[in-house]
Every structure is written in C-alpha cells, then in structure tokens.
Amino acid sequence: MRLLLVEDELNLAASVVSLLAENDFEVDHEPNGAQGFELARSGNYEAIILDIMLPSMNGYTICSKLRAAGITTPILMLTAKDGEYDEAEALDTGADDFLRKPFSTVVLVARVQALIRRRSGVKGPVLQLGDLTIDPDEHRCRRGDVEIDLTPREFSLLEYLMAAQGAAKTKQDIIDHVWGSDFDGDLNIVEVYVGYLRRKIDRPFDRSTVETVRGIGYRLAAEDQ
C-alpha cells in the first residue's frame, strides 16, 4: 500500500518512513508543502500523513484544497501545537484524524492502518481481557459499562500488552513498540506509564490486571484478580 508523507523535519520523516516500510507500506516523502500538494493531487495513495507547519504551503491549506478538489484520500494531520483549536481546525479543513507531536511512531502506524480500514469498511478486532475491552479503530477503552479515558500513549501501552496475550514484555520491548526504536530517554518512563495505566484501569475497579514480572517487565493477568 502506498502512502504520502509531507513532513519537513527530516529526522522524524526518516524514522516514520522506516517504520512504515517495516509494516509493508511504500512511502513517498516530500518536505515541501506546495510540492506535497501536487503529489497528493496527482498520486494514488491509500492515505496521506500531513504536517501543519510546512514551507510554501501549510497543512491546513493543503488539506482544504484537496477536499475542495474532490480528493477523499484519508488524511492524518500531525500537529506540533498542544491545543484543541489546532485539532479543531485540522478536522474543519477535512482531516480524518490528527496526532500530536511528539508521538510514538507505532501509534502513527496504528492510526494510519485504522484510517485505511475505515475507508474500506473493514473493522479491526476489538481486544478483550475479562471485562476490559479496547477498540483500536475507535480508540476506546471500557471496563464493563464504564468508559475509560486514556491518552494515546497509555492506549498504545495497553493495546501492546493486551495483544501479547499474557506474555511478559521487557521495558525495552515496550519502549520499542510504544515509544519507537529511536527513543533515547530513560527506560524508567515505562514504570511511570504503567502507574498511570493502573490508576485508570485497575484501582477504581479493585483489580490488578497489570502485573510486574520481577526481573523481566510487565504483563496483563490472564484473569482479573
């Protein structure tokens, strides 16, 4: 499947292109906004990953002009700003989804895959462990009838552990899949996010789903405790 990435941060773009290639995507990368628009208008892409701040033409303008031209290719917009108005403007100009920087490249791949499935009418699997369920396509988490609000990073961590089906994952495994293999920070960030997750999916429900495996890392309990 062919994607277009319009991003002028070259190091970030190289990392994204590499990971997308590992997931069987062919990626055209363009750092210039105006040239990216021409590629998007003339190319046959499954999805477009579009930064906002670009030379020559910004992402809002590109998205708006593509939609005005009748091009319905799914667009995932990358926002460097942390504000609801930027997200609202991204959606108002016709973007299908947005992702704030900095982001996990693994989360980006998952969002792109969800957009493509949504366009084709094929829904991805809902993951379940006891009464805990997550829907990656809709980015929703529930414990029984209670909806749980997770940040993108927390959601990605939970999704990775649920997909492992009880297998223990090391901190390095989790970093590589949730933060991305180019992450060069402290591995203990994993402990911090495991703590966030426990406070949201376990403690309010008197559960201990997220287990620490001494000397290894973390896993989800096969059954709620």
Side-chain angles (χ1 to χ4, degrees), residues 132-144:
L132 180 66
T133 60
I134 62 171
D135 185 333
D137 282 0
E138 296 186 6
H139 196 80
R140 298 181 72 177
C141 174
R142 300 180 70 86
R143 173 75 83 177

Side-chain angles (χ1 to χ4, degrees), residues 4-8 30-37 40 48-68 73 75-81 86-87 89-98 101:
L4 173 63
L5 170 65
V6 189
E7 169 61 68
D8 63 335
E30 174 54 57
N32 180 277
Q35 294 178 26
F37 169 70
I48 298 167
I49 304 168
L50 180 62
D51 191 23
I52 290 179
M53 304 304 292
L54 293 164
S56 301
M57 185 183 296
N58 67 45
Y60 296 137
T61 302
I62 294 171
C63 188
S64 181
K65 288 169 70 73
L66 289 174
R67 295 309 188 224
T73 306
I75 294 175
L76 174 64
M77 193 169 282
L78 307 179
T79 70
K81 304 173 184 177
D86 301 299
E87 297 159 4
E89 188 168 357
L91 298 176
D92 286 345
T93 56
D96 298 274
D97 198 0
F98 60 85
K101 296 179 182 178

Side-chain angles (χ1 to χ4, degrees), residues 191-202:
E191 293 180 20
V192 174
Y193 274 82
V194 165
Y196 293 159
L197 208 53
R198 283 171 169 156
R199 285 197 288 272
K200 290 186 177 182
I201 71 169
D202 278 349

Side-chain angles (χ1 to χ4, degrees), residues 196-214:
Y196 293 159
L197 208 53
R198 283 171 169 156
R199 285 197 288 272
K200 290 186 177 182
I201 71 169
D202 278 349
R203 291 177 190 170
F205 305 93
D206 195 24
R207 306 294 176 86
S208 54
T209 308
V210 186
E211 293 184 337
T212 299
V213 182
R214 190 176 300 276

Side-chain angles (χ1 to χ4, degrees), residues 20-36:
L20 288 169
E22 291 175 10
N23 285 269
D24 300 322
F25 288 107
E26 179 182 342
V27 185
D28 292 341
H29 169 233
E30 174 54 57
N32 180 277
Q35 294 178 26

Side-chain angles (χ1 to χ4, degrees), residues 115-177:
L115 284 179
I116 293 172
R117 285 196 301 267
R118 196 180 307 159
R119 188 187 193 194
S120 65
V122 177
K123 185 173 174 56
V126 173
L127 303 179
Q128 183 165 4
L129 179 67
D131 65 349
L132 180 66
T133 60
I134 62 171
D135 185 333
D137 282 0
E138 296 186 6
H139 196 80
R140 298 181 72 177
C141 174
R142 300 180 70 86
R143 173 75 83 177
D145 294 329
V146 179
E147 187 135 5
I148 302 171
D149 184 26
L150 299 178
T151 67
R153 191 83 69 183
E154 292 163 353
F155 191 94
S156 182
L157 172 58
L158 179 58
E159 181 181 5
Y160 179 59
L161 291 175
M162 288 188 79
Q165 299 182 333
K169 295 298 180 181
T170 67
K171 288 182 181 179
Q172 190 61 60
D173 288 335
I174 293 170
I175 286 290
D176 290 345
H177 286 81

